[in-house]
Amino acid sequence: MDKFKHKKSLGQNFLKDENVLRKIKDSIQVSEDDLILEIGPGQGALTKYLIEYGCKVICFEIDKRVEPYLEKYKNGSLEIIFDDFLNVDILNIVKDYHYKNLYVVANLPYYITTPIITKLIESKLNIQEMVLMVQNEVADRFTAKPGCKDYGSITVYLNYFYDIEKLFFVKRTSFSPAPNVDSAVIKFKKKVQPYKVKDEALFFKLIRDAFQFKRKNIKNNLKNYDLNLVEQVLLKSGYNLSTRAEQLPIEIFVEIANLLNY
Ligand code: SAM
């Protein structure tokens, strides 16, 4: 019998449903000269499918206790780094590899979903696509459209870089041990036509501020900005200063940030 003691604190809910695992693998088209990063391989449930691609795979796992389980998948193309993904110098590791396209595939530890994705984005690695298992509610937040209650600053931030799509729902019983929440697999695709923002720091601050108090409208949340300029953009598109941030599409935030950056 497997004596492995799962650590709840590390989000160790291992995926046991082979159909789900195969569906994750089939949701990206990878070739042999590509590179895949997997965060949190655990006992290798997903890793064993990823190495079938025949390309290089780098895994980051915080828990050394899973090493014996991963041993059997080791071949020339699999590298396993035992470290906290949030602490690794990802750019420095990846720069030693030659590859055509870069992919991230992971069944994420849910307690650090957003920090992991933010780190990947901020690393400036040119990631083609990410296929990630996340908590179902988080998937809804990441893929929400303007006007929905789940639409927030994180939605705008992530959708600025990627087109995000919910691929499929995964019930909690697909994991061992079963977590208290259901999950979903989502796909991030690098934007073909990125938004043109003059000052990204200003844009990100604007988003954070616009959504700061959920019940407040733009006029109140952005009271420290030049409201005449903000209003100019809003009126042009049928909104006004009484509109709430959750109603506004990314394009409007881009336009406001670019106008403020005169
Ligand atoms: N990929 C495996 C699967 O699908 O069965 C395991 C997924 S499990 C949800 C998340 C994994 O992330 C665990 O193996 C856990 O030890 C690992 N993990 C947790 N925090 C981590 C961190 N900061 N850096 C790297 N791995 C981490």
Side-chain angles (χ1 to χ4, degrees):
M1 209 182 99
D2 192 348
K3 288 261 178 4
F4 189 84
K5 253 185 125 292
H6 297 76
K7 283 193 183 164
K8 210 174 167 185
S9 62
L10 292 179
Q12 287 182 340
N13 303 97
F14 297 150
L15 198 46
K16 62 175 184 189
D17 186 330
E18 298 296 326
N19 284 327
V20 173
L21 286 158
R22 207 165 301 116
K23 269 169 82 177
I24 295 175
K25 184 205 163 186
D26 291 345
S27 61
I28 46 166
Q29 303 294 319
V30 177
S31 60
E32 284 183 5
D33 42 11
D34 292 333
L35 173 63
I36 301 178
L37 307 182
E38 185 191 2
I39 297 130
Q43 297 180 341
L46 184 56
T47 319
K48 73 173 183 285
Y49 285 94
L50 299 180
I51 58 176
E52 286 177 2
Y53 279 118
C55 67
K56 295 269 184 210
V57 178
I58 312 177
C59 295
F60 300 89
E61 172 58 61
I62 198 169
D63 189 352
K64 245 306 188 150
R65 294 179 307 144
V66 297
E67 195 167 16
Y69 298 88
L70 292 172
E71 277 305 315
K72 56 178 175 289
Y73 303 120
K74 268 204 168 160
N75 57 20
S77 349
L78 176 65
E79 184 181 353
I80 301 161
I81 296 173
F82 285 99
D83 206 340
D84 179 344
F85 178 73
L86 296 180
N87 285 341
V88 298
D89 184 349
I90 182 81
L91 265 188
N92 205 30
I93 292 166
V94 169
K95 80 168 177 6
D96 291 335
Y97 289 79
H98 294 284
Y99 56 87
K100 208 167 86 199
N101 289 310
L102 179 61
Y103 295 89
V104 176
V105 185
N107 173 14
L108 290 178
Y110 294 170
Y111 73 106
I112 43 171
T113 299
T114 303
I116 289 175
I117 298 174
T118 309
K119 172 166 179 151
L120 288 163
I121 288 176
E122 288 177 355
S123 72
K124 303 270 184 227
L125 281 170
N126 187 12
I127 302 168
Q128 203 62 23
E129 288 182 2
M130 302 198 268
V131 173
L132 306 174
M133 174 88 75
V134 298
Q135 194 179 321
N136 188 48
E137 282 170 18
V138 172
D140 288 342
R141 213 176 308 140
F142 290 177
T143 55
K145 300 285 172 246
C148 295
K149 69 169 177 27
D150 292 325
Y151 186 77
S153 60
I154 188 72
T155 322
V156 178
Y157 176 74
L158 297 177
N159 283 270
Y160 168 67
F161 299 97
Y162 292 97
D163 291 318
I164 311 174
E165 183 194 352
K166 190 165 171 177
L167 296 184
F168 53 91
F169 175 85
V170 181
K171 54 187 189 313
R172 59 193 79 185
T173 49
S174 302
F175 298 84
S176 174
N180 296 329
V181 291
D182 292 313
S183 297
V185 174
I186 51 176
K187 187 183 223 177
F188 289 64
K189 259 187 174 169
K190 201 178 77 177
K191 284 226 180 283
V192 182
Q193 283 194 305
Y195 294 104
K196 291 191 172 63
V197 166
K198 290 190 222 161
D199 179 345
E200 281 194 337
L202 170 66
F203 174 65
F204 299 146
K205 183 173 177 341
L206 175 77
I207 301 167
R208 279 197 308 275
D209 290 341
F211 283 92
Q212 194 186 7
F213 299 105
K214 232 180 155 13
R215 292 170 165 277
K216 289 191 174 176
N217 59 22
I218 285 292
K219 185 177 175 181
N220 289 317
N221 276 336
L222 297 185
K223 61 177 185 295
N224 295 327
Y225 291 74
D226 183 337
L227 283 176
N228 286 330
L229 291 184
V230 175
E231 187 176 33
Q232 212 174 299
V233 175
L234 292 175
L235 291 178
K236 229 173 38 171
S237 305
Y239 305 100
N240 56 56
L241 288 173
S242 302
T243 306
R244 287 189 188 157
E246 70 194 45
Q247 303 293 331
L248 301 175
I250 301 185
E251 292 75 9
I252 299 290
F253 292 108
V254 170
E255 218 180 310
I256 294 174
N258 283 344
L259 196 62
L260 291 169
N261 182 258
Y262 52 93

